[in-house]
Each structure stands twice: as structure tokens, then as C-alpha cells.
Amino acid sequence: MKYLEALNNEIFSIVSETAHNIGIDSYVIGGYVRDFLLQRGNSKDIDIVAIGSGIDLALAVSQALPNKPKVQVFKNYGTAMLRYQDIDIEFVGARKESYQRDSRKPIVENGTLKDDQDRRDFTINSLALSLNKENYGELINPFNGVEDLETGIIRTPLDPDITYSDDPLRMMRAIRFATQLNFEIEQESLDSITRNNERIKIISGERIVDELNKILNCPTPSVGFLLLHKTQLLHHILPELTDLQGVEEVEGQRHKDNFYHTLEVVDNIAQNTDNLWLRWAALLHDIGKAPTKKFDQKIGWTFHGHEFVGSKMVKNIFQRLHMPLNNKMKFVQNMVRMSSRPIVLAEDKVTDSAVRRLVFDAGDDVENLMTLCEADITTKNPHKFKRYHNNFKMVRQKIVEVEEKDHVRNFQPPISGEEIMEIFNLKPSKEIGQLKNMIKEAILEGEIGNNYDEAYAFMVQKAAGLGLIIKND
């Protein structure tokens, strides 16, 4: 069957003509074909497989294009890439691969189209469209990939034990595709992932995180994390999460299963934000509960200080998985550390001073923090659910009112340390810090307004108690 409508972009006819001129057969393969058949929109990534040198074809195509785009050549991998308009096009020579046990880097040999389709991870990614003149647009479907697309199945072209053991990252890709496409992983393939889960240890943290990010960016991330857990991949990747699973009962008192609660929170937040790092914060917000869990005979199960413990654990996770140790990590840490603050506010009477402190401590992230805390409401009791959300509406309204009145977000005390030194003729000393902190606390408590005149009068009063005298001009 031919799919000429899939090849209506002029780049395909240019590749076809160029390949014909240099005597190479060529095909478009993989994700572009899959997404076209799924009607997922036009892909911005195109993979071209050449029966011959992919690099030679890329260089020749570049010369045939009007603007002669630069070609990036990766000789070690036998691939080349160019960008045409807003599309990234990768060229690779057809190849067959073999693997050594301790590495996911294959030993590569030249091969046929069938060899290249055999090495693909899943049947739905092995589909190819011919760019050759004699059968232009014809679909090559050796593993019933179209049928798997229609039935929503993730399946490997060859023995899944070989596919996953050769390149263990494919186990995570299977789960990621199942999550993105709302497909099911064939049972034999799912069992194979479980059998081979320890092989994930040879994969770099960067590649693992790339797949985790794609799962987190899905509309319902819990689908992927439940599969990671079921196959025990999650035990190797994020043991801090699997440690949350389970419910203990002592003297008739139980606590909730914080693992499944966490997945509910991640799904909730996915409905309200595309911020990947806020989704990470939702995933990690309760990781401190496992190491802080205790049973108190008077009050039952406690998790005292789990937010602070959890925020410290975030750094360990980011380091272990080679994630960015920059403002993104600090954002996740801050969200985890403050994750209970608005909840406590919503349960108590919402005072201006408590809201001022929340806004001051959260700064520009206060909206993200509120989004996280609202996602944290997973109670199945409709009355409690409504009450919590109504309380959060009050907190949000209070934040707006306090901000309009006091302007405490990211504020600095109206009087600087340098000015205090000048007023009281001081050298650097602890008294300067004490005065600045007194002014800040007075503003946050609502004792004085966030303005220079009130802060100055307050400072003079407090300075007298410290034995400080205003310098004579």
C-alpha cells in the first residue's frame, strides 16, 4: 500500500531524486511514519535510512537544497544530520548490530533494509516508506507494525529478551511510548522487562532522566510510573519513591500509602501545569516521609520534618542521575521544603502575618507552590475535598490582598545595612544584622508598614535598646 500523502513535503522528493542520482536506495523510517499513521500531526524529525552511506547521501542532499544547509557528520556512528526549514533530518546507512553484555553501544556492520528494521526497538517504529522511484510511497511493514498501531500494542520485532538486554534503555522507551500513546505493552514484552530490569544499571543517568522527563510530561504520568514500578525498574532508578510504598498498622492506626498518593499528586498537577520541574517537585514532594516515619502512641503515625529531609534528598537524587545542579534543582528543593506550608495555612485561620511570611519565603514561586499544594489534595471524601479547595481559595485571595498592601514578595528591608552603619557610625558588626532582622520581622508581623519612615522610627527605638546612638552630623 502506498502513502503518498505522507510524503507531500518537498524534502522527500529531493532526497528521492538525490539518492537515485548517486545510486542509493533510501527510505523514511521510524517515528515520522508512526506519527503519520497515528495522525499525530507533522513530525519535525525525519529519519532517512540509506542502503549505503548515509553520510554521502546527506552531503549530496545538502548540495541539492537551495540554501545548502550545513551537515553535521558523526563518523563514529555513521550518521549525518541537517536542518531544512524547521525540520531535523537524520541520515544513517542501513546496518545490523551486535552487542557486548556490559555496553549498550553496538558493534555495527553494513546491512540491508531488513537488517535495519530488525534492529529497531518496536514494531511500530520499524515501519518504512520507500523513497525509491519504482515504488515511491510504498509501506514496508515486516512485523505487522500497522496492526500494532491499530490495536495499541507495544511489541519488539525480535525476541524481547534480546532486544532489551542488548539496549536496556529500550525498556524505558517501551514504558514511555505506552504512557504517551496510551498503548499496552505486550505481556511477553512486559515480562521480559521485569526479567531484565537489572540491566538498566548500565544506562547513564542522563539517558534515564531523558525518558523520565518524557513520562512526566505526559497527560497521565502515573501510567508510566506504575509500569516502572511493576517491572521493578523504579527500584533501581528512584528507590526513594518505592520506599514510600506500603501501609503499616499499629494499634489499629494506619497511614496512607504514600507511593500511590504521590502518583495521584503527579497526575493532579499534570492537569494544571506544563512546568516539568514543578512536576518533578510533585513526584518528590513526599520522599522524606520514609526516613522520618514514626509511631507515637499518643498521636499515631508522624512524619516530622519530612519536608526538610526530603529537600536534602533531592540534591542526592539530582547528583546520582546527573540532573542539572542549578536553579532547577534549587526550585525543586524549595518546593519540596515548603510543600506543607500552604496546607497548614488552609487548615488554620489565615492570618496576614502567616501569608506575608509565605509570600516572603516563596518569592516568585508562590503561585507554583499553591499549584503543588492544591494537587496534593487527594482525599476521596467530597466534603473534605470541597473544604480544602475553598480554604485554598481564601489563601490565594489573602496572598493577593497582602501583596497589594505590603509588597513583601522578594522584598529587602527599607533600610540597608550600609545605611545603618552610616546612621550609627558603626563598623561591620552583629548589631547591624540584628537591626535588619528586627525590621524584617516587624514588617512580616504587620507591626509596621513596608516603608522607609515607619522602618526608620522602629529602628531608632530598637537601636536604643542595643545601646546605639545616632551619629551627629
Side-chain angles (χ1 to χ4, degrees):
M1 187 171 182
K2 291 188 176 181
Y3 290 87
L4 296 177
E5 64 272 28
L7 306 177
N8 56 14
N9 190 304
E10 64 176 348
I11 188 61
F12 295 112
S13 59
I14 293 171
V15 171
S16 175
E17 187 69 28
T18 304
H20 178 77
N21 291 340
I22 64 175
I24 290 178
D25 284 349
S26 61
Y27 304 83
V28 57
I29 195 167
Y32 179 88
V33 184
R34 179 199 69 227
D35 288 348
F36 170 79
L37 293 173
L38 287 173
Q39 299 181 334
R40 294 184 75 204
N42 294 325
S43 175
K44 298 300 181 184
D45 295 291
I46 296 173
D47 292 329
I48 305 291
V49 63
I51 313 305
S53 171
I55 294 173
D56 289 349
L57 179 56
L59 293 170
V61 168
S62 174
Q63 292 303 305
L65 291 171
N67 59 340
K68 294 181 172 51
K70 181 180 177 181
V71 178
Q72 290 181 281
V73 175
F74 307 95
K75 284 188 177 180
N76 290 342
Y77 299 97
T79 64
M81 182 179 289
L82 62 82
R83 187 170 180 82
Y84 178 66
Q85 296 174 350
D86 59 345
I87 301 172
D88 290 320
I89 309 163
E90 184 171 359
F91 298 80
V92 61
R95 62 196 191 188
K96 54 184 175 180
E97 299 174 342
S98 57
Y99 290 80
Q100 294 177 325
R101 177 100 186 138
D102 61 348
S103 173
R104 66 179 292 267
K105 293 181 180 178
I107 299 168
V108 177
E109 301 175 63
N110 293 335
T112 64
L113 175 64
K114 183 179 183 306
D115 289 328
D116 204 84
Q117 289 177 303
D118 285 349
R119 74 178 182 84
R120 297 280 161 173
D121 49 8
F122 309 114
T123 59
I124 62 173
N125 292 334
S126 68
L127 297 163
L129 291 173
S130 172
L131 298 180
N132 304 311
K133 287 187 177 294
E134 64 272 16
N135 59 348
Y136 189 80
E138 184 176 305
L139 179 70
I140 296 92
N141 175 26
F143 301 110
N144 296 319
V146 172
E147 291 80 354
D148 288 343
L149 283 177
E150 291 171 349
T151 54
I153 294 294
I154 303 293
R155 187 166 55 88
T156 61
L158 304 177
D159 182 342
D161 281 337
I162 296 173
T163 298
Y164 294 136
S165 181
D166 280 351
D167 184 354
L169 188 65
R170 290 168 175 165
M171 298 187 289
M172 292 197 67
R173 283 171 57 81
I175 290 170
R176 186 250 295 178
F177 279 121
T179 311
Q180 284 181 330
L181 303 176
N182 197 25
F183 279 21
E184 285 189 16
I185 301 175
E186 178 203 35
Q187 189 60 49
E188 183 183 353
S189 195
L190 192 64
D191 292 342
S192 178
I193 294 174
T194 304
R195 285 194 298 271
N196 289 280
N197 65 71
E198 287 203 9
R199 295 281 290 149
I200 200 67
K201 293 177 182 178
I202 72 168
I203 302 299
S204 70
E206 293 90 342
R207 302 301 296 270
I208 288 172
V209 168
D210 186 48
E211 295 300 326
L212 288 176
N213 287 345
K214 290 173 182 176
I215 292 171
L216 274 173
N217 275 324
C218 289
T220 312
S222 66
V223 172
F225 283 96
L226 285 170
L227 285 169
L228 289 170
H229 184 257
K230 182 177 181 178
T231 57
Q232 297 180 34
L233 284 171
L234 197 61
H235 295 68
H236 302 297
I237 297 167
L238 283 171
E240 295 86 352
L241 274 183
T242 58
D243 286 347
L244 295 175
Q245 191 197 1
V247 177
E248 286 189 63
E249 182 173 339
V250 176
E251 297 179 5
Q253 297 196 57
R254 297 157 57 92
H255 62 79
K256 65 186 174 187
D257 189 307
N258 287 302
F259 173 72
Y260 292 104
H261 162 74
T262 292
L263 298 190
E264 286 188 77
V265 175
V266 174
D267 283 351
N268 286 346
I269 209 163
Q271 296 175 27
N272 295 301
T273 181
D274 292 328
N275 183 332
L276 172 65
W277 302 105
L278 189 52
R279 293 188 183 200
W280 267 104
L283 185 69
L284 303 180
H285 82 284
D286 267 351
I287 55 173
K289 282 191 172 179
T292 59
K293 181 171 71 172
K294 290 180 181 173
F295 183 79
D296 185 303
Q297 289 187 330
K298 293 181 180 178
I299 58 177
W301 290 102
T302 67
F303 305 91
H304 292 313
H306 76 269
E307 306 94 338
F308 300 99
V309 172
S311 69
K312 292 179 180 178
M313 293 169 69
V314 167
K315 184 175 182 180
N316 294 332
I317 291 170
F318 272 56
Q319 287 177 325
R320 187 179 72 237
L321 294 177
H322 301 150
M323 295 172 71
L325 304 178
N326 54 18
N327 59 325
K328 295 182 176 70
M329 180 193 73
K330 291 177 181 176
F331 169 80
V332 175
Q333 282 185 303
N334 198 35
M335 290 296 99
V336 172
R337 184 172 52 252
M338 297 189 67
S339 59
S340 295
R341 288 275 295 275
I343 294 172
V344 173
L345 276 183
E347 290 174 342
D348 297 334
K349 183 180 179 182
V350 185
T351 64
D352 283 7
S353 62
V355 172
R356 270 192 293 269
R357 287 189 178 279
L358 177 69
V359 174
F360 175 74
D361 291 338
D364 290 333
D365 293 328
V366 69
E367 286 299 322
N368 286 321
L369 181 61
M370 293 300 298
T371 300
L372 172 60
C373 290
E374 286 170 340
D376 203 6
I377 303 170
T378 60
T379 177
K380 302 302 181 287
N381 182 314
H383 300 293
K384 283 186 178 180
F385 185 87
K386 184 177 180 180
R387 176 164 55 85
Y388 275 124
H389 276 280
N390 285 339
N391 286 353
F392 274 125
K393 285 180 183 177
M394 286 191 289
V395 173
R396 282 185 177 275
Q397 181 58 38
K398 204 73 170 176
I399 288 172
V400 172
E401 293 171 2
V402 165
E403 272 283 84
E404 288 177 351
K405 183 176 63 174
D406 299 322
H407 310 289
V408 294
R409 188 180 301 204
N410 298 322
F411 95 103
Q412 294 293 325
I415 302 176
S416 69
E418 290 78 8
E419 193 170 358
I420 293 172
M421 291 168 66
E422 175 67 23
I423 291 170
F424 296 103
N425 194 25
L426 293 172
K427 292 182 179 179
S429 61
K430 65 178 182 180
E431 286 81 6
I432 298 166
Q434 288 175 324
L435 284 174
K436 282 188 68 176
N437 191 58
M438 288 177 184
I439 295 169
K440 182 193 80 173
E441 289 295 317
I443 292 171
L444 292 177
E445 286 297 323
E447 295 175 23
I448 61 173
N450 186 16
N451 61 75
Y452 186 88
D453 290 342
E454 289 187 58
Y456 186 90
F458 178 84
M459 175 191 67
V460 171
Q461 175 192 347
K462 293 297 179 181
L466 295 175
L468 299 178
I469 300 172
I470 296 176
K471 179 182 73 174
N472 291 323
D473 293 328

